[in-house]
């Protein structure tokens, strides 16, 4: 069986979405049997490769360099997945939009700098006027919301794509069932007076209900039918 070529890209985000992907833990081993990770923060490759089947893209588009990379990625990817709220809405990265780039650079490099304060004119990529979602620049095929999306959600979406299916907001994969069962156990535990010191990202459960895809946001539908290409590439 030819493996699916998977890339992950990090634009203007905090890397939390990538961390959540790694949170799939031992399921990464199952994924590795069907997927080759050809690009990403942990891959030692210098140039984004050609013929990538699926790219997960984290973060919004905030700089000229982000935009250049995004266009290259889109041109070389069959199926582009906006991973997380920054990629889908701008989210945290877009908080700077109302201040303008001049004020942001001044705050970062002048006001918060105690030595040799100056705004860099080279090396640091030029900011775009606003930080914007990925689909405002290129067609996106699947949207996976959350800040970050849960590991269960990411794994379920990838599993669906590997089967050549469009992720369904109402899908009921074994991983989702396990997640629901875990939440039920936690709720019963707390109802019985149990206490945990930190629930951390346990609130993801509610965000999972917002799983969306082409069906959820038809206005963002890509002009191409990349899923059929992906399905073909996974055949024996
Ligand atoms: S969506 Fe949340 S976790 Fe993902 S990059 Fe943005 S801020 Fe970080």
């Amino acid at each position: 069986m030819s493996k699916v070529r998977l890339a992950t890209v990090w634009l203007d985000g905090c890397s939390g979405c990538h961390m959540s992907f790694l949170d799939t833990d031992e399921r990464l081993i199952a994924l590795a049997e069907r997927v080759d990770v050809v690009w990403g923060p942990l891959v030692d490759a210098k140039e984004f490769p050609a013929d990538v089947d699926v790219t997960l893209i984290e973060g919004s588009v905030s700089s000229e360099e982000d935009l250049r990379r995004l266009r290259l990625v889109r041109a070389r990817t069959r199926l582009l997945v906006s991973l997380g709220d920054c990629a889908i809405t701008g989210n945290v990265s877009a908080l700077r939009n109302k201040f303008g780039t001049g004020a942001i650079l001044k705050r970062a490099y002048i006001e918060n700098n105690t030595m040799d304060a100056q705004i860099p004119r080279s090396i640091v990529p030029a900011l775009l006027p606003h930080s914007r979602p990925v689909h405002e620049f290129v067609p996106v095929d699947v949207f996976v919301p959350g800040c970050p999306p849960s590991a269960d959600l990411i794994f379920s979406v990838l599993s669906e794509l590997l089967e050549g299916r469009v992720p369904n907001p109402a899908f009921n994969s074994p991983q989702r069932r396990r997640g629901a069962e875990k939440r039920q156990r936690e709720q019963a535990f707390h109802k019985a007076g149990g206490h945990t010191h930190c629930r951390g990202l346990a609130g993801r459960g509610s965000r999972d209900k917002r799983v969306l895809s082409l069906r959820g946001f038809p206005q963002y539908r890509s002009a191409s039918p990349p899923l059929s290409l992906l399905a073909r590439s996974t055949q024996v």
Side-chain angles (χ1 to χ4, degrees):
M1 178 191 290
S2 62
K3 289 189 174 182
V4 167
R5 288 164 61 78
L6 175 72
T8 71
V9 172
W10 180 6
L11 298 180
D12 190 7
C14 73
S15 88
C17 293
H18 271 83
M19 294 298 110
S20 200
F21 175 45
L22 294 180
D23 262 354
T24 49
D25 298 329
E26 71 276 7
R27 287 172 287 179
L28 288 171
I29 298 170
L31 269 182
E33 290 173 1
R34 304 188 62 187
V35 159
D36 270 336
V37 181
V38 295
W39 176 267
L42 300 178
V43 176
D44 186 21
K46 304 300 177 210
E47 188 182 351
F48 192 85
D51 287 331
V52 176
D53 292 308
V54 182
T55 296
L56 308 179
I57 195 148
E58 170 193 318
S60 60
V61 185
S62 292
S63 69
E64 290 177 3
E65 174 60 13
D66 289 341
L67 186 53
R68 185 196 69 78
R69 289 174 62 203
L70 175 62
R71 287 183 170 140
L72 180 69
V73 166
R74 176 69 273 188
R76 295 182 175 182
T77 300
R78 291 191 180 87
L79 201 156
L80 190 66
V81 179
S82 266
L83 181 68
D85 288 349
C86 288
I88 296 172
T89 69
N91 195 32
V92 176
S93 310
L95 289 176
R96 60 107 157 158
N97 286 352
K98 73 174 189 173
F99 301 105
T101 54
I104 292 294
L105 292 170
K106 186 176 168 205
R107 181 71 177 158
Y109 291 103
I110 306 290
E111 294 170 3
N112 284 339
N113 196 347
T114 53
M115 286 179 55
D116 194 21
Q118 59 180 304
I119 293 175
R121 303 290 173 201
S122 60
I123 301 178
V124 177
L127 290 178
L128 295 174
H130 297 102
S131 182
R132 308 299 303 170
V134 168
H135 65 264
E136 289 195 7
F137 298 94
V138 298
V140 169
D141 302 297
V142 177
F143 297 80
V144 184
C147 181
S150 71
D152 283 351
L153 175 56
I154 296 171
F155 184 76
S156 296
V157 167
L158 281 176
S159 299
E160 290 291 285
L161 293 177
L162 287 172
E163 295 301 327
R165 295 192 289 259
V166 176
N168 185 330
F171 65 71
N172 188 23
S173 70
Q175 293 75 33
R176 257 182 91 69
R177 278 200 298 277
R178 276 204 300 273
E181 287 163 7
K182 185 177 170 200
R183 282 191 290 280
Q184 280 171 2
R185 283 197 302 276
E186 286 178 351
Q187 282 163 5
F189 175 70
H190 287 279
K191 206 170 170 182
H195 173 72
T196 50
H197 67 284
C198 175
R199 289 181 58 73
L201 293 167
R204 288 164 166 172
S206 58
R207 283 194 286 275
D208 282 5
K209 295 190 182 107
R210 294 188 295 133
V211 173
L212 59 108
S213 63
L214 298 175
R215 292 178 194 169
F217 276 59
Q219 67 269 37
Y220 299 145
R221 186 185 291 270
S222 164
S224 62
L227 280 166
S228 56
L229 295 175
L230 182 62
R232 190 166 61 241
S233 76
T234 61
Q235 286 172 357
V236 177

